[in-house]
């Protein structure tokens, strides 16, 4: 991270200048300026090569080449020291989910589970081992979150609340050595679980409206104000609390009192989303907080700290969506196999196949964005643009998967109590809102993308007009054009360079032809984004801030192109047919969205082919996902058709006979070849005996996915299990 301090605090930001020049009210310019400054301060924490202007997305849009190598993270190393803690933590979640003991009497993740996870090392994943943590690289952490989310999305979400937006990231990134030594060991061990308290009743999207204040009184701050929607807000736990100190945003690490009192109260309300964890309001009335708990970033203020953690939280959200969608797809398949209409299972219908294939495509795209964004974070990039793309795509994909694909396929049963959709619909939709509502974030993405270009070319033009006292510039007016002749010349040179300067288009050796097509399409799109964004600025000039729909439209196209590019390259790295086919589907969908073309018959055939493979158990990504009972089963009673188990992915183990002590035989014989040969003959004979026993006349013992069949036939112990 860069250590060079700058005086950005005192400078007027680009947004502030633009809004003032564009005639916005003083208050709006000042508030947006504060947000923009916080953003620039985060920027200055990073070494120049990792700042937004040098990020892959910025380069792709404004430079003459899409830096393919920055969109294609290398595969993760096979193992890392944090793996043991990850496996143990995963087992805790899986075990409690299977035993039905994840939740307490309030239907919240129980303190036993939180404690078991603490023992496993879950809460210290992102904390340096010297403070008792696991030191997980972020890319490994997010991949792990996907795995956990398949089992339980709330557990996965809590790891992000604690580690990314909660107290962990602010302290490890901005804490002094003394603060790190004081807080991190307790945060790593799970003794202190944490959340992040930013939102207030009057301040959500507009964080500058925040009113909670801290006043220094002797050796402590007194905090007064109210927070709303705070996840993991429980007496005795910790929060990274954003307050105003002397009118500037700041972050205090607050250990919430164990009991409510005059200075601290919880505000309880009924909340549909995040129902398995506590989410509450917090009221403070001169709550004392030691002054040593104030985090002081080298530059910037509390919003700087908030934005840093939110970036990580946004990638984690995409990772969790990838896990939740795996669980949805794993639950959709048995139902589509079971449900028959007009005499055939709905899994054979093209409409349903489209949903299966689309869901696989969304999963692969979320995996791709998560891995890519997390890799950039590990490399040291700020990753703001990249994290926003992942957050928006992840939350929208999960929403589509839940409603358009999962709910519609499950029909009326979706709304039964006990159904995965009905029980979790709010959980599945809420990510569109928390950590920044998608469309508002899309505007932030666009503003970040054009900021440097605006500063370079449009701010000087605006300032020249302002200096000349021209309130309504019109370049057709020769006097107006004369005023900005120097600035216009610089801009014209840039435009000509863009139009005629040529672009480098790279190919990736050995890439599947389907993916290669998407790769060159994406590069082609990037060839014109710079000019398009610039043209929007030129047209609307300093009023562009009011053209939100235009900004949103452009923003969404750039984001879609990034998703397409990253997904195609991710599939290329994976080199397996199902991932490639799923990536191809989502890339074709994105291309059609971008070009407005209609789907071809070949596309529908691709969908069906991929769906058939997935229905046949060929999508490894969903292996091991828990599958709920089908509700209101009916065949046996109504149709007299025996239910056959789904052909979803599963692992099978067939144990024939008693265990053989190979070591003892080797000792006895002394010849490896002879032992292998006798073992092979023996095994063949045991299998033959087993097959003879089953025989054509005997019904094959039903394997229903849960039951263990343990038959003792003719001296052979036979056990078959399907997991
Ligand atoms: C389940 C859940 C968990 C949460 N957990 C936390 C937490 O742990 N900590 C925390 O601090 N917060 C948390 N939040 C709060 C969350 O981050 C906010 O709800 C979110 O940022 C949106 O703020 P808001 O609800 O006040 O929406 P508002 O600010 O009221 O905005 C409503 C909508 O108005 C529109 N809008 C607003 N401003 C503009 C604009 N300038 N231009 C165009 N349109 C605009 C947007 O569509 C926006 O979404 C949580 C929320 C939920 C639902």
């Amino acid at each position: 991270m860069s250590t060079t301090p700058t005086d950005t605090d005192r400078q007027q930001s680009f947004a502030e200048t633009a809004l003032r020049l564009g005639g916005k009210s003083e208050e709006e310019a000042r508030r947006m300026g504060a947000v923009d400054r916080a953003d620039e301060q985060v920027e200055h924490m990073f070494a120049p090569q990792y700042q937004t202007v040098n990020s892959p997305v910025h380069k792709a849009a404004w430079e003459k080449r899409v830096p393919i190598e920055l969109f294609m993270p290398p595969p993760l190393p096979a193992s890392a020291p944090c793996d043991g803690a990850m496996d143990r933590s995963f087992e805790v979640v899986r075990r409690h989910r299977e035993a039905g003991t994840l939740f307490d009497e309030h239907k919240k993740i129980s303190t036993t589970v939180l404690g078991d996870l603490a023992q496993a090392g879950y809460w210290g994943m992102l904390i340096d081992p010297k403070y008792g943590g696991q030191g997980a690289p972020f890319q490994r952490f997010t991949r792990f979150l996907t795995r956990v989310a398949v089992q339980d999305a709330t557990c996965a979400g809590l790891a992000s609340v604690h580690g990314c937006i909660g107290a962990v990231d602010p302290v490890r990134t901005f804490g002094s050595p003394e603060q790190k030594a004081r807080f991190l060991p307790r945060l790593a061990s799970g003794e202190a679980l944490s959340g992040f308290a930013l939102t207030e009743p009057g301040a959500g999207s507009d964080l500058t409206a925040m009113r909670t204040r801290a006043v220094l009184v002797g050796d402590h701050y007194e905090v007064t104000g109210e927070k709303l929607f705070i996840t993991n807000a429980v007496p005795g736990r910790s929060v990274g609390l954003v307050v105003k100190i002397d009118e500037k945003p700041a972050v205090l690490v607050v250990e919430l009192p164990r009991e409510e009192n005059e200075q601290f109260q919880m505000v309880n309300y009924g909340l549909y989303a995040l129902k398995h964890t506590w989410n509450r309001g917090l009221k403070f009335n001169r709550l004392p907080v030691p002054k040593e708990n104030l985090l002081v970033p080298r530059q910037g203020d509390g919003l700087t700290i908030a934005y840093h953690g939110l970036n990580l939280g946004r990638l984690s959200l995409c990772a969790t969506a990838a896990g939740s969608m795996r669980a949805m797809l794993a639950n959709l398949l048995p139902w589509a196999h079971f449900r028959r209409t007009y005499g055939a299972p709905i899994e054979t219908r093209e409409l349903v196949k489209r949903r299966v294939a689309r869901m696989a495509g969304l999963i692969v795209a979320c995996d791709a964005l998560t891995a890519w964004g997390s890799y950039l974070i590990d490399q040291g990039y700020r990753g703001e643009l990249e994290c926003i793309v992942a957050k928006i795509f992840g939350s929208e994909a999960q929403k589509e998967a839940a409603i358009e694909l999962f709910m519609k396929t499950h029909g009326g049963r979706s709304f039964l109590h006990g159904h995965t959709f009905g029980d979790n619909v709010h959980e599945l939709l809420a990510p569109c809102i928390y950590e920044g509502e998608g469309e508002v974030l899309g505007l932030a993405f666009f503003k970040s993308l054009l900021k440097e270009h605006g500063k370079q070319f449009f701010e000087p033009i605006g300032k020249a007009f302002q200096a000349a006292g021209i309130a309504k510039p019109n370049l057709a007016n020769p006097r107006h054009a004369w005023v900005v002749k120097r600035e216009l010349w610089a801009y014209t040179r840039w435009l000509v360079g863009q139009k005629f300067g040529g672009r480098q288009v790279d190919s990736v050796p050995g890439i599947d032809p389907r993916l290669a097509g998407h790769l060159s399409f994406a590069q082609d799109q990037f060839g014109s984004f710079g000019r398009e964004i610039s043209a929007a600025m030129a047209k609307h000039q300093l009023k562009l801030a009011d053209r939100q729909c235009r900004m949103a439209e452009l923003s969404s196209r750039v984001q879609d192109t990034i998703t397409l590019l990253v997904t195609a390259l991710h599939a290329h790295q994976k080199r397996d047919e199902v991932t490639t086919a799923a990536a191809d589907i989502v890339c074709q969908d994105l291309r059609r969205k971008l070009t407005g073309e209609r789907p071809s018959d070949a596309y529908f055939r691709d969908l069906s082919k991929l769906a058939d493979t997935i229905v046949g158990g060929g999508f490894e990504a969903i292996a091991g996902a828990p599958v709920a009972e089908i509700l209101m089963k009916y065949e046996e009673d109504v149709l007299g058709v025996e239910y056959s188990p789904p052909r979803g992915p599963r692992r099978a183990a067939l144990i024939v006979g008693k265990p053989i002590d190979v070591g003892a035989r080797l000792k006895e014989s002394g010849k490896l070849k002879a032992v292998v040969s006798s073992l092979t003959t023996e095994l063949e004979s045991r299998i033959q005996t087993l097959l003879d026993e089953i025989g054509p006349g005997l019904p094959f013992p039903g394997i229903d996915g849960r039951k263990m069949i343990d038959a003792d036939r003719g001296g052979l112990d036979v056990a078959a299990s399907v997991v």
Side-chain angles (χ1 to χ4, degrees):
M1 279 183 189
S2 166
T3 51
T4 327
T6 66
D7 59 352
T8 43
D9 270 347
R10 290 186 298 279
Q11 287 169 3
Q12 204 182 77
S13 77
F14 170 60
E16 199 169 350
T17 313
L19 289 170
R20 280 211 177 87
L21 294 176
K24 286 280 173 200
S25 74
E26 186 54 29
E27 189 191 353
E28 186 166 351
R30 191 169 42 74
R31 285 186 176 207
M32 287 310 294
V35 173
D36 203 39
R37 259 197 311 283
D39 178 79
E40 291 199 354
Q41 284 150 358
V42 179
E43 198 71 37
H44 287 298
M45 291 169 47
F46 292 86
Q49 70 268 33
Y50 299 128
Q51 293 178 357
T52 300
V53 279
N54 286 315
S55 71
V57 172
H58 205 279
K59 277 171 177 278
W62 296 106
E63 295 184 4
K64 290 181 180 295
R65 172 181 171 261
V66 175
I68 301 281
E69 63 289 351
L70 295 181
F71 285 90
M72 190 165 48
L76 275 174
S79 64
C82 56
D83 289 356
M86 288 184 174
D87 289 343
R88 287 194 301 275
S89 305
F90 176 83
E91 270 312 306
V92 168
V93 178
R94 195 191 56 78
R95 179 165 47 82
H96 278 289
R97 191 195 52 71
E98 279 184 4
T101 50
L102 271 178
F103 310 124
D104 62 16
E105 70 276 18
H106 305 288
K107 303 258 183 281
K108 310 289 179 193
I109 301 283
S110 75
T111 47
T112 309
V113 173
L114 299 177
D116 288 354
L117 284 170
Q119 290 280 318
Y122 192 62
W123 306 111
M125 284 300 169
L126 294 174
I127 297 175
D128 196 306
K130 83 174 176 198
Y131 299 110
Q134 316 303 333
F138 200 64
Q139 200 180 345
R140 247 184 155 75
F141 176 72
T142 47
R143 191 182 67 170
F144 164 66
L145 283 193
T146 300
R147 224 175 125 204
V148 175
V150 175
Q151 298 292 322
D152 184 77
T154 310
C155 285
L158 276 179
S160 167
V161 167
H162 175 68
C164 300
I165 62 166
V168 171
D169 185 66
V171 174
R172 72 175 188 157
T173 313
F174 300 94
S176 66
E178 182 279 322
Q179 288 171 324
K180 287 181 189 174
R182 188 154 46 99
F183 291 119
L184 289 178
R186 295 182 63 233
L187 291 166
S189 69
E191 199 185 326
L193 289 180
S194 67
F196 187 59
L198 177 61
T199 308
E200 299 185 1
S205 305
D206 175 9
L207 296 173
T208 62
M210 198 171 57
R211 290 171 61 178
T212 301
R213 281 182 162 67
V215 180
L216 190 61
V217 181
D219 61 353
H220 63 268
Y221 284 101
E222 282 184 0
V223 176
T224 301
E226 184 170 350
K227 295 287 173 183
L228 181 66
F229 290 137
I230 310 308
T231 308
N232 212 9
V234 176
R237 290 189 191 162
S238 302
V239 287
L241 180 71
V242 188
V243 295
K244 276 194 173 164
I245 297 178
D246 297 331
E247 292 312 306
K248 280 182 78 172
V251 173
L252 285 165
V253 179
V254 177
E255 287 165 346
L256 299 175
R258 292 193 179 278
E259 304 280 337
E260 289 179 82
N261 54 35
E262 285 221 327
Q263 294 153 329
F264 161 70
Q265 279 135 36
M266 293 281 174
V267 182
N268 289 301
Y269 37 72
L271 187 71
Y272 289 111
L274 293 186
K275 61 182 177 174
H276 294 310
T277 187
W278 294 104
N279 182 294
R280 293 165 163 145
L282 300 170
K283 265 189 180 170
F284 306 109
N285 179 18
R286 303 181 64 184
L287 177 80
V289 177
K291 71 174 189 217
E292 297 77 31
N293 290 16
L294 176 70
L295 296 175
V296 185
R298 253 196 297 269
Q299 41 194 307
D301 54 32
L303 289 186
T304 317
I305 300 175
Y307 285 172
H308 192 273
L310 278 171
N311 263 355
L312 306 188
R314 287 169 184 160
L315 285 172
S316 300
L317 186 150
C318 189
T320 306
S324 297
M325 289 192 295
R326 279 168 162 82
M328 279 192 259
L329 183 53
N331 279 276
L332 186 149
L333 295 180
W335 163 251
H337 179 73
F338 172 86
R339 182 55 158 170
R340 302 169 76 89
T341 59
Y342 307 103
I346 59 172
E347 69 181 8
T348 60
R349 310 290 185 187
E350 205 181 31
L351 278 179
V352 174
K353 288 185 185 188
R354 179 181 59 75
R355 294 180 191 147
V356 169
R358 171 80 182 159
M359 185 105 84
L362 293 176
I363 290 170
V364 169
C366 282
D367 285 352
L369 289 171
T370 305
W372 168 64
S374 308
Y375 161 75
L376 294 174
I377 295 289
D378 283 336
Q379 292 300 297
Y381 281 93
R382 178 181 176 192
E384 192 217 4
L385 295 169
E386 294 76 9
C387 295
I388 292 181
V389 177
K391 144 72 184 149
I392 298 177
F393 187 85
S395 55
E396 291 295 319
Q398 180 166 292
K399 181 181 79 179
E400 179 192 333
I403 293 177
E404 299 299 327
L405 313 176
F406 192 64
M407 178 196 84
K408 287 189 176 170
T409 306
H410 280 262
R413 282 167 176 77
S414 300
F415 300 92
L416 287 170
H417 287 190
H419 192 276
T420 310
F421 175 81
D423 283 357
N424 295 292
V425 56
H426 301 99
E427 312 289 318
L428 296 165
L429 301 186
C432 294
I433 300 299
Y434 55 69
E435 314 220 355
E437 185 270 327
E439 281 200 293
V440 170
L441 267 189
L443 294 184
F445 172 90
F446 185 79
K447 285 176 189 162
S448 259
L449 193 58
L450 67 68
K451 190 160 151 181
E452 196 53 35
H453 183 74
K455 261 191 315 248
Q456 200 180 346
F457 298 110
F458 290 91
E459 193 179 55
I461 294 176
K463 281 186 169 165
F465 279 133
Q466 195 191 34
I470 298 171
K472 288 192 174 161
N474 172 12
L475 288 178
N477 177 334
R479 190 176 81 80
H480 290 192
W482 183 254
V483 164
V484 290
K485 60 181 183 312
R486 221 162 353 120
E487 291 78 8
L488 270 186
W489 172 236
Y491 180 58
T492 309
R493 266 205 323 242
W494 176 82
L495 257 187
V496 171
Q498 282 288 310
K499 206 158 180 160
F500 303 107
R503 274 182 74 83
Q504 185 178 326
V505 177
D506 294 344
S507 58
V508 172
I511 193 167
D512 182 281
R514 288 165 289 180
L515 304 176
H518 302 313
L519 177 64
S520 52
F521 174 84
Q523 292 184 88
D524 203 44
Q525 291 286 300
F526 274 119
S528 59
F529 280 143
R531 263 177 294 144
E532 273 198 69
I533 295 169
S534 190
M537 269 209 101
K539 180 168 180 192
H540 302 292
Q541 301 198 16
L542 297 167
K543 298 276 184 208
L544 184 60
D546 288 333
R547 302 282 89 82
Q548 291 191 326
C549 294
R550 173 58 62 218
M551 288 198 284
E553 189 273 334
L554 265 167
S555 171
S556 140
R557 271 196 286 140
V558 179
Q559 291 178 51
D560 286 344
T561 308
I562 293 161
T563 305
L564 193 154
L565 176 67
V566 172
T567 307
L569 292 171
H570 173 83
H572 167 64
Q573 297 272 72
K574 290 271 168 204
R575 290 176 197 269
D576 86 79
E577 174 50 31
V578 183
T579 307
T580 299
D584 178 42
I585 290 299
V586 86
C587 289
Q588 289 195 52
D589 292 343
L590 286 165
R591 277 174 76 165
R592 276 201 321 279
K593 188 175 160 205
L594 287 160
T595 59
E597 277 169 29
R598 275 183 292 165
S600 64
D601 285 338
Y603 166 75
F604 294 136
R605 280 196 298 277
D606 291 345
L607 282 175
S608 280
K609 192 171 157 207
L610 173 60
D612 286 344
T613 309
I614 295 170
V615 165
F619 193 34
E620 186 55 32
I622 58 173
V627 176
E629 280 289 326
I630 291 170
L631 300 178
M632 299 289 175
K633 268 196 193 158
Y634 61 98
E635 285 99 324
E636 292 86 352
D637 316 336
V638 181
L639 298 175
V641 179
E642 200 172 322
Y643 171 63
S644 61
R647 286 175 288 142
R650 67 217 58 198
R651 288 187 203 103
L654 185 65
I655 302 161
V656 184
K658 297 225 161 67
I660 296 168
D661 188 344
V662 180
R665 292 225 186 155
L666 255 178
K667 232 186 219 168
E668 213 174 89
S669 148
K671 286 188 185 141
L672 179 68
K673 259 192 176 172
V675 171
V676 172
S677 157
S678 78
L679 279 175
T680 313
T681 318
E682 202 172 314
L683 191 66
E684 276 173 5
S685 128
R686 284 185 180 195
I687 291 172
Q688 193 53 56
T689 314
L690 166 68
L691 292 174
D692 293 346
E693 282 292 316
I694 293 169
L698 283 169
F700 191 83
I703 300 174
D704 74 356
R706 266 162 286 280
K707 270 186 208 149
M708 274 293 258
I709 295 122
D710 194 353
D712 191 340
R713 297 179 196 285
L716 275 178
D717 288 333
V718 180
S721 73
V722 176
V723 190

